[in-house]
C-alpha cells in the first residue's frame, strides 16, 4: 500500500520560504506524478504543482514564480519550496500521487498523504 | 483557467435518500473529470475517475455521469458514513477543483 508522509515546519514567518518534504513508501516513484496540493482553512483545494519521476516539473501559473518542486529518488522523497510567503499561504498542504487510467498523463490523485498545516505568521 | 462550479454548496438528507451533486465546467472538458470525498480532518479520497468510472473498492452506491460541461455525482442511498465534503476536479487544463459540496444527515 502506497503511503505518503509529509514533514516540515508548521510555522513560517512572512517573506520567508516554506519548505516541505514528502516521503513515499510502499511503492515506486516511477512512473507517477508527485504533486503538492493545498487547502486554506475552511476553503477548497488548490493544485500547486508536480514533479514527474523523470524530473520534469509543472506548476500552477498563479504560483509559478514562487514555487520549486524537487525529487530525490535515492530517498523516495519529493519536496516543495514556496518563497516570499504571506498569510494567504496559510493552508493544509497535501502531497499526492498523480496517476492515469490510460493516457500516461496526470489525470487523478489516487494516494494522498496526511495534510500538514503550515501557518504563516510572525 | 477552467472554473468548476458545484451545486449545491451544502445539503442535508436522510439515511437512504438519493443525493445528487452537479458540477459545471466553464468550458468543454470532455470526460476529464474526477470526484473526491473528503471527511473532516482527512485527505481527499478518489471515488470516481473519468466522469463515470468507479475506483476499485468504492461502494457501488456512488456513481458519476456527464461529459462536456455538465457532470453529476450521485449517492443512490445515503449512509451515515457518507457525511463528507465532495469535490469535482478537472484535468483538461491544469488541475482545478470545484468549491465542494458538504453533505450532512
Amino acid at each position: 500500500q502506497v503511503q505518503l508522509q509529509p514533514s516540515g515546519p508548521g510555522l513560517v514567518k512572512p517573506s520567508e520560504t516554506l519548505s516541505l518534504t514528502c516521503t513515499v513508501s510502499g511503492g515506486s516513484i516511477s512512473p507517477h506524478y508527485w504533486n503538492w496540493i493545498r487547502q486554506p482553512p475552511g476553503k477548497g483545494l488548490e493544485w500547486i504543482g508536480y514533479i514527474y519521476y523523470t524530473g520534469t516539473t509543472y506548476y500552477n501559473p498563479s504560483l509559478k514564480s514562487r514555487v520549486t518542486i524537487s525529487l530525490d529518488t535515492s530517498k523516495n522523497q519529493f519536496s516543495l519550496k514556496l518563497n516570499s510567503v504571506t498569510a494567504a499561504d496559510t493552508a493544509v498542504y497535501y502531497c499526492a500521487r498523480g496517476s492515469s487510467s490510460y493516457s500516461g498523463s496526470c489525470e487523478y490523485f489516487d494516494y494522498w498523504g496526511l495534510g500538514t498545516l503550515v501557518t504563516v505568521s510572525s | 483557467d477552467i472554473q468548476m462550479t458545484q451545486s449545491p454548496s451544502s445539503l442535508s438528507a436522510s439515511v437512504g435518500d438519493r443525493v445528487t451533486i452537479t458540477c459545471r465546467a466553464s468550458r468543454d472538458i470532455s470526460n476529464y473529470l474526477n470526484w473526491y470525498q473528503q471527511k473532516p480532518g482527512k485527505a481527499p479520497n478518489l471515488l470516481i475517475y473519468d466522469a463515470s468510472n468507479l475506483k476499485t473498492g468504492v461502494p457501488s452506491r456512488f456513481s458519476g455521469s456527464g461529459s462536456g460541461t455538465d457532470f453529476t455525482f450521485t449517492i443512490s442511498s445515503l449512509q451515515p458514513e457518507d457525511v463528507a465534503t465532495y469535490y469535482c476536479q478537472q484535468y483538461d487544463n491544469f488541475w482545478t477543483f470545484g468549491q465542494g459540496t458538504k453533505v450532512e444527515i
Side-chain angles (χ1 to χ4, degrees):
Chain A
Q1 175 78 344
V2 176
Q3 293 187 321
L4 291 83
Q5 178 65 53
S7 58
L11 182 64
V12 181
K13 290 182 169 55
S15 80
E16 295 191 346
T17 297
L18 179 159
S19 296
L20 295 173
T21 294
C22 186
T23 302
V24 181
S25 60
S28 175
I29 288 286
S30 66
H32 300 286
Y33 300 81
W34 301 97
N35 296 262
W36 289 98
I37 295 164
R38 69 181 183 179
Q39 185 171 35
K43 296 188 178 180
L45 298 154
E46 179 182 35
W47 175 77
I48 298 170
Y50 74 59
I51 187 162
Y52 192 37
Y53 78 101
T54 58
T56 299
T57 54
Y58 205 30
Y59 302 133
N60 187 321
S62 68
L63 298 168
K64 185 177 181 179
S65 64
R66 299 194 291 131
V67 172
T68 302
I69 298 176
S70 58
L71 180 65
D72 186 338
T73 54
S74 67
K75 296 181 179 178
N76 262 25
Q77 292 179 335
F78 62 107
S79 299
L80 168 71
K81 290 190 185 299
L82 180 66
N83 57 38
S84 304
V85 296
T86 69
D89 295 309
T90 294
V92 174
Y93 285 74
Y94 293 101
C95 48
R97 190 181 83 169
S99 299
S100 75
S101 55
Y102 64 93
S103 70
S105 62
C106 183
E107 298 174 359
Y108 50 73
F109 309 110
D110 56 355
Y111 289 95
W112 297 63
L114 293 174
T116 185
L117 175 62
V118 179
T119 301
V120 178
S121 175
S122 56
Chain B
D1 283 16
I2 298 177
Q3 309 301 320
M4 306 302 294
T5 304
Q6 286 182 235
S7 61
S9 55
S10 65
L11 65 89
S12 182
S14 300
V15 172
D17 281 356
R18 183 180 184 87
V19 168
T20 298
I21 298 168
T22 62
C23 179
R24 174 165 288 177
S26 58
R27 66 167 175 83
D28 190 331
I29 59 169
S30 185
N31 67 331
Y32 299 157
L33 184 103
N34 307 312
W35 289 96
Y36 298 82
Q37 176 192 66
Q38 185 178 33
K39 295 185 178 181
K42 302 291 187 181
N45 179 41
L46 177 69
L47 299 180
I48 289 170
Y49 62 95
D50 297 343
S52 60
N53 294 306
L54 200 63
K55 179 187 171 185
T56 301
V58 173
S60 60
R61 63 180 181 274
F62 297 103
S63 65
S65 64
S67 67
T69 60
D70 294 315
F71 301 86
T72 300
F73 173 82
T74 300
I75 307 173
S76 61
S77 177
L78 187 66
Q79 299 302 304
E81 60 267 30
D82 300 337
V83 168
T85 300
Y86 294 84
Y87 292 93
C88 60
Q89 171 247 317
Q90 67 81 24
Y91 62 93
D92 181 67
N93 181 252
F94 292 97
W95 296 264
T96 53
F97 295 83
Q99 80 278 18
T101 296
K102 187 174 185 179
V103 174
E104 299 176 312
I105 290 178

